[in-house]
Amino acid sequence: MSNLQIFEPFSTDAFNEMFKGLIRPLQFEFASLAPTIRVELSEKDDAYHVRAEVPGVRKEDIKVKIDGDRVSISAETRHEDKEKSHGKVIRSEFQYGVTSRTVALGGDVDAAKSTASYADGVLDLDLPKLPSSAAKTLTIQ
């Protein structure tokens, strides 16, 4: 028996084997610096409640914007890491990140009566609903 094999230089497998390991996806060391905002949304008859997880962010760096039936939450993180040796800075890294999340609600929110609180990495938003205008049926004359 002979061990002859057909060599196809332009087959997909041969091409992939030739360049395996040369092309790798780009990875950034601090791509995960900005936290992902996870949201839990609940609704009552008169209000919405949004509970957002924003860990490692100061409350001064969180912005909440209400626009009709949309609520946007954005957070900015800042991290400065320094190493000193005998009074000289050997390495200094400044890392900044911004993340945001927008939630569409079922109806408009009364921005004037809305409240927000932040403790232990959790943002709580109480968003009262605006009274909806009742639909009116027109009589055709």
Side-chain angles (χ1 to χ4, degrees), residues 2-132:
S2 90
N3 290 331
L4 291 177
Q5 294 181 346
I6 299 174
F7 176 69
E8 295 180 31
F10 298 108
S11 73
T12 307
D13 294 336
F15 185 79
N16 288 340
E17 279 298 312
M18 235 176 7
F19 293 104
K20 186 199 280 187
L22 290 179
I23 302 172
R24 293 190 177 116
L26 294 175
Q27 295 177 348
F28 297 99
E29 180 180 333
F30 44 91
S32 64
L33 178 67
T36 301
I37 299 175
R38 293 185 177 100
V39 175
E40 176 183 281
L41 175 63
S42 58
E43 179 181 12
K44 294 181 183 177
D45 291 336
D46 60 342
Y48 297 102
H49 181 77
V50 177
R51 185 176 171 101
E53 186 180 70
V54 192
V57 178
R58 299 180 318 159
K59 73 177 184 178
E60 296 83 19
D61 295 329
I62 299 174
K63 306 272 187 287
V64 178
K65 180 181 175 188
I66 300 172
D67 185 16
D69 68 340
R70 295 189 183 274
V71 176
S72 298
I73 302 167
S74 63
E76 181 177 352
T77 57
R78 298 178 194 148
H79 178 72
E80 297 180 8
D81 186 21
K82 292 184 179 183
E83 286 183 13
K84 291 187 177 184
S85 175
H86 306 293
K88 294 181 181 180
V89 176
I90 294 176
R91 178 182 64 93
S92 177
E93 293 180 359
F94 299 97
Q95 299 174 345
Y96 298 95
V98 178
T99 187
S100 65
R101 180 79 187 260
T102 300
V103 178
L105 306 171
D108 288 347
V109 172
D110 189 352
K113 295 181 182 176
S114 297
T115 60
S117 63
Y118 181 71
D120 299 326
V122 177
L123 175 68
D124 285 306
L125 304 175
D126 290 313
L127 310 167
K129 295 179 181 179
L130 278 176
S132 61

